[in-house]
Amino acid sequence: MCANVIVAEDDENQAELLRRYLEREGHRVTVAPDGLAALDAVRHGEPDLLLLDVMMPRADGLDVVRVLRAEQRELPVLMLTARTTEDDLLLGLDLGADDYVTKPYSPRELMARVRTLLRRNRRGAGGEPGDAGVLTVGALVVDPARHVVSVQGRAVECTPGEFRILAALAAEPDRVFSRQRLLAELHGFDRYISDRTVDVHVMNLRKKIEPAPRRPVRLLTVFGVGYKLTDPAKAATRAASS
């Protein structure tokens, strides 16, 4: 799987190390030494993945993610960070990053994360045969092959991570998914990822698909278990007949 990868890293030694590992796996690599250079590389290239250091000059990694998502770019973003507090890591996910690796990291682990993001992004873009058909849950429509989501005919922009969670839930409406099961949809069974990663993605999805995100009627919490996706019209009918 040859991909076009941008490495946004101001440390020359780290950037060179990443370049070597990525090229060893057959990828084309562009190195951006700061945040503004990273934005320019994304806008003028056709990258498949952005490896993004958080602490960079001119514009830090969090600002880069803000701009990319504001421009509605669905490019997968893997953040590289020396910040180890959970709140710092979840802030990156909240802004629209798809995954993160904390420094110092294992190159083998990092390459495994890269392969996972590239594989799932290509599958979501219809790059692999056997994709599921269009999923409909009431007024919510999820098209895995075209990576398209709409609610009542209104297009909804989702990050790759948000889309994977939503597609998994939409494939089995009313089934309760544990956080661990949804984490598996995101990253595989990975002991380095926190359950709160799912909570952040769910919170962001509710802002996009719910009429009142603080009072969700579609993406529901099943306390002590996890989450489920339901058709609010059918739920109201069931409640009225019970």
Side-chain angles (χ1 to χ4, degrees):
M1 182 189 300
C2 179
N4 183 10
V5 181
I6 295 174
V7 173
E9 170 64 75
D10 63 314
D11 184 308
E12 292 183 5
N13 293 330
Q14 287 290 320
E16 178 62 15
L17 179 66
L18 290 169
R19 184 185 65 78
R20 289 181 180 179
Y21 273 99
L22 289 163
E23 289 183 346
R24 188 178 300 170
E25 297 209 356
H27 303 307
R28 298 183 300 274
V29 181
T30 300
V31 175
D34 59 66
L36 294 185
L39 287 170
D40 187 64
V42 170
R43 289 164 175 162
H44 293 90
E46 296 182 356
D48 300 298
L49 177 68
L50 173 61
L51 297 188
L52 180 63
D53 187 27
V54 173
M55 302 297 291
M56 288 191 299
R58 302 181 73 195
D60 69 22
L62 298 177
D63 287 333
V64 171
V65 174
R66 285 189 185 96
V67 172
L68 292 178
R69 297 318 186 204
E71 293 178 351
Q72 298 184 348
R73 298 181 187 272
E74 297 184 356
L75 169 72
V77 176
L78 173 59
M79 300 199 80
L80 311 174
T81 177
R83 297 175 175 177
T84 57
T85 67
E86 190 174 44
D87 287 343
D88 285 332
L89 299 174
L90 293 175
L91 175 58
L93 295 173
D94 189 31
L95 292 172
D98 297 284
D99 197 0
Y100 59 80
V101 175
T102 57
K103 298 179 179 180
Y105 48 76
S106 159
R108 290 181 62 186
E109 178 197 347
L110 180 62
M111 291 303 105
R113 299 284 186 88
V114 166
R115 287 191 293 271
T116 296
L117 281 176
L118 288 173
R119 182 171 59 250
R120 289 179 174 170
N121 188 56
R122 291 193 174 187
R123 184 164 61 236
E128 296 181 9
D131 286 320
V134 175
L135 308 169
T136 302
V137 184
L140 174 69
V141 178
V142 180
D143 186 340
R146 295 190 300 136
H147 204 278
V148 171
V149 177
S150 65
V151 178
Q152 295 179 325
R154 171 180 59 85
V156 175
E157 297 292 335
C158 293
T159 69
E162 293 165 2
F163 187 89
R164 286 193 293 273
I165 286 180
L166 191 60
L169 292 167
E172 299 185 69
D174 294 314
R175 174 187 170 183
V176 180
F177 284 72
S178 68
R179 288 175 175 82
Q180 285 299 318
R181 183 67 188 88
L182 292 174
L183 279 174
E185 293 293 331
L186 283 170
H187 305 290
F189 293 98
D190 191 331
R191 63 187 176 90
Y192 297 101
I193 300 297
S194 163
D195 286 0
R196 286 192 61 196
T197 301
V198 171
D199 297 337
V200 173
H201 284 312
V202 167
M203 179 181 67
N204 290 335
L205 281 169
R206 283 173 172 163
K207 294 175 183 176
K208 298 176 179 183
I209 69 171
E210 296 283 4
R214 292 181 180 275
R215 298 186 298 277
V217 294
R218 291 189 174 93
L219 212 175
L220 305 180
T221 300
V222 180
F223 292 101
V225 184
Y227 298 102
K228 69 176 182 178
L229 191 68
T230 192
D231 177 357
K234 288 184 178 179
T237 300
R238 287 195 297 266
S241 61
S242 62

